[in-house]
């Protein structure tokens, strides 16, 4: 019987990872076609060692195919995959030293929790005493050390996901791969498991690639993320940078809610554009190096960037009159629809909201830095 004794002091799994070098991952021109269908199209990425890196995008964008190529389950049609300086493009999965956590957990129902976690070690012919120690350490790392004798059908969904994580970590992989691991959990368990996965990545320092279509997961957990669309990487960066400075309309729209307002450049100064929009002049400093300085553009303004008030303010500084046409109260926040002059309706998110009646007059304002300019 496999033992699940708790380790004293700092978890031995963490200590073992502390003694190991971390792994960086490089993808160079990776492509995968299934017949005439291109699932992944010339993707090049650098994932730094120790990063929790997210592949984010809508269904069918190629993120799971890309993950499975990194795992070795699918061979690329073209391109190179490297772990540090090692070319693993054509290595089978068992020689890549990766740990995989699947969406459906894939636990053996006839085995105990401890036996499930130990399975990969038995395949690798790890000796009994070392196997017991490593299983105990892995279960402790995911806070499941008291559940080793149970079977998967005696566990909640969140507990099963912890066991799947322990099974992936116990083999001490160079890279941890997570394929939409929380999609089958309810909202409360998803929030709990986000914290647990982030904690494990922090403690072990293992390079982790996480596939999801859930923007909240990516923004709240990732060190870096790549947004994919139609098999291509559209933007790469830190969560805050990608959310606040999207490169294009697709990224702005996919990562949360935003207001798109068409405008035309009527003036440009150092680091600032002056735009003509339906409700009036707009000053914008949310620019990219590639942002055009003339012509028709689109402004992206997040609902939380707007401020609501009733005091008249200089309209030259991004402040306009409006009317509340709808308001939904959420407790800590309210979401308003505000109609501006020029027949423009915007969404505004107000924290600690004041009572707002439909038809009431307000003034909305926004900082120039929160007006992100996108090319049409």
């Amino acid at each position: 019987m496999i033992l699940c004794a708790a380790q004293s002091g700092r978890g031995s799994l963490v200590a073992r990872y502390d003694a190991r070098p971390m792994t960086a991952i490089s993808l160079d021109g990776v492509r995968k076609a299934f017949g005439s269908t291109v699932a992944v199209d010339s993707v090049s990425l650098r994932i730094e060692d120790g990063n929790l890196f997210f592949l984010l995008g809508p269904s069918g964008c190629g993120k799971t195919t890309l993950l499975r190529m990194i795992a070795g389950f699918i061979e690329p049609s073209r391109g190179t995959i490297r772990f540090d300086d090692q070319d693993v493009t054509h290595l089978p999965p068992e020689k890549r030293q990766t740990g995989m956590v699947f969406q459906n957990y894939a636990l053996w129902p006839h085995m105990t929790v401890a036996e499930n976690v130990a399975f990969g070690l038995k395949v690798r012919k790890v000796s009994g005493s070392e196997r017991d120690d490593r299983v105990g350490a892995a279960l402790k790392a995911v806070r499941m050390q008291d559940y080793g004798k149970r079977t998967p059908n005696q566990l909640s969904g969140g507990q099963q996901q912890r066991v799947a994580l322990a099974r992936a970590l116990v083999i001490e992989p160079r890279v941890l791969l997570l394929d939409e691991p929380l999609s089958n959990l309810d909202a409360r368990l998803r929030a709990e498991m986000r914290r647990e996965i982030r904690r494990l990545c922090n403690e072990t320092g293992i390079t982790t690639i996480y596939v999801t279509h859930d923007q909240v997961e990516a923004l709240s957990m990732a060190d870096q993320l790549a947004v994919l669309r139609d098999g291509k990487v559209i933007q790469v960066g830190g969560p805050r940078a990608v959310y606040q400075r999207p490169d294009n309309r697709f990224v702005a729209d996919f990562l949360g809610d935003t207001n798109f307002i068409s405008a035309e450049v009527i003036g440009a100064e150092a680091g600032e554009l002056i735009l003509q929009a339906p409700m009036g002049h707009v000053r914008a400093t949310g620019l990219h190096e590639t942002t055009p300085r003339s012509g028709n553009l689109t402004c992206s303004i997040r609902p939380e960037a707007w401020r609501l008030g009733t005091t008249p303010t200089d309209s030259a500084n991004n402040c306009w009159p409006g009317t509340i046409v709808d308001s939904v109260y959420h407790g800590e926040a309210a979401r308003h629809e505000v109609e501006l002059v020029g027949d423009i309706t915007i969404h505004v998110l107000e924290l600690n909201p004041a009572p707002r009646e439909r038809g009431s007059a307000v003034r909305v304002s926004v900082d120039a830095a929160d007006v992100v300019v996108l090319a049409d």
Side-chain angles (χ1 to χ4, degrees):
M1 178 62 66
I2 295 169
L3 303 177
C4 301
Q7 307 294 312
S8 60
R10 202 155 178 247
S12 63
L13 180 70
V14 175
R16 291 174 74 103
Y17 270 101
D18 281 347
R20 298 177 55 198
M22 293 184 287
T23 300
I25 301 169
S26 299
L27 308 179
D28 184 12
V30 173
R31 185 178 191 271
K32 182 61 185 180
F34 298 97
S36 61
T37 301
V38 178
V40 174
D41 192 1
S42 300
V43 168
S44 295
L45 283 173
R46 167 78 179 181
I47 300 171
E48 299 298 334
D49 53 22
N51 260 210
L52 175 50
F53 192 96
F54 272 67
L55 300 175
L56 176 67
S59 297
C61 71
K63 55 189 184 295
T64 294
T65 300
L66 188 58
L67 187 78
R68 293 177 71 84
M69 284 192 285
I70 295 169
F73 299 139
I74 298 175
E75 189 162 315
S77 305
R78 190 170 64 224
T80 305
I81 301 171
R82 288 186 175 87
F83 290 179
D84 291 330
D85 295 328
Q86 181 187 11
D87 186 341
V88 300
T89 310
H90 304 293
L91 279 182
E94 64 272 15
K95 293 187 178 180
R96 298 195 186 198
Q97 292 179 265
T98 59
M100 187 87 173
V101 178
F102 298 94
Q103 181 177 346
N104 63 355
Y105 319 140
L107 300 177
W108 298 102
H110 63 284
M111 293 182 181
T112 66
V113 164
E115 289 167 345
N116 266 282
V117 175
F119 184 80
L121 298 178
K122 293 180 71 174
V123 170
R124 290 164 175 78
K125 303 189 185 304
V126 176
S127 66
S129 59
E130 181 184 354
R131 186 168 70 238
D132 292 350
D133 289 343
R134 286 170 64 174
V135 168
L139 286 173
K140 184 183 179 185
V142 298
R143 300 175 181 174
M144 289 291 290
Q145 65 267 27
D146 296 329
Y147 295 82
K149 295 182 180 181
R150 297 192 186 185
T151 56
N153 63 5
Q154 295 175 308
L155 304 178
S156 68
Q159 289 170 334
Q160 290 184 52
Q161 191 58 278
R162 289 170 189 263
V163 175
L165 274 170
R167 184 181 57 188
L169 289 168
V170 76
I171 63 172
E172 297 175 8
R174 297 171 67 184
V175 175
L176 179 63
L177 305 172
L178 307 173
D179 187 7
E180 304 216 35
L182 309 184
S183 60
N184 292 330
L185 304 181
D186 62 34
R188 183 185 63 81
L189 283 175
R190 282 200 303 272
E192 179 183 324
M193 287 305 301
R194 285 174 198 149
R195 292 190 294 270
E196 286 299 297
I197 292 171
R198 181 69 264 187
R199 176 184 64 82
L200 283 168
C201 291
N202 287 342
E203 289 182 355
T204 63
I206 186 172
T207 305
T208 302
I209 304 177
Y210 190 124
V211 160
T212 188
H213 62 272
D214 188 317
Q215 302 95 320
V216 174
E217 281 182 17
L219 293 173
S220 63
M221 295 172 63
D223 293 313
Q224 296 280 298
L225 60 88
V227 181
L228 282 78
R229 180 188 187 188
D230 297 333
K232 296 179 181 292
V233 171
I234 303 300
Q235 186 171 354
V236 180
R240 187 179 296 273
V242 175
Y243 181 80
Q244 294 183 343
R245 289 290 182 271
D247 282 349
N248 52 65
R249 188 179 181 116
F250 174 80
V251 174
D253 194 32
F254 185 74
L255 278 182
D257 193 11
T258 194
N259 297 280
F260 291 119
I261 300 173
S262 297
E264 182 181 2
V265 178
I266 58 174
E269 301 173 1
E272 183 177 70
L273 291 181
I274 302 172
L275 308 165
Q276 180 64 53
M279 69 279 197
H281 289 177
V282 180
R283 305 183 78 92
T285 59
L287 314 178
H288 299 282
E289 291 181 1
T290 57
T291 301
R293 267 42 178 185
S294 63
N296 294 319
L297 303 169
T298 298
C299 300
S300 170
I301 306 174
R302 300 289 186 188
E304 68 273 14
W306 295 100
R307 294 186 299 273
L308 277 177
T310 55
T311 304
T313 307
D314 183 0
S315 62
N317 292 318
N318 290 354
C319 182
W320 304 278
T323 303
I324 299 286
V325 295
D326 195 19
S327 184
V328 179
Y329 180 67
H330 295 291
E332 77 282 2
R335 184 179 180 84
H336 310 293
E337 285 188 28
V338 181
E339 187 176 88
L340 305 182
V341 294
D343 197 26
I344 292 290
T345 300
I346 61 171
H347 293 139
V348 178
L349 187 69
E350 182 183 21
L351 293 177
N352 191 24
R356 306 280 185 187
E357 295 185 2
R358 294 179 184 178
S360 60
V362 293
R363 295 190 72 85
V364 298
S365 60
V366 63
D367 291 338
D370 292 322
V371 180
V372 179
V373 179
L374 310 170
D376 274 350

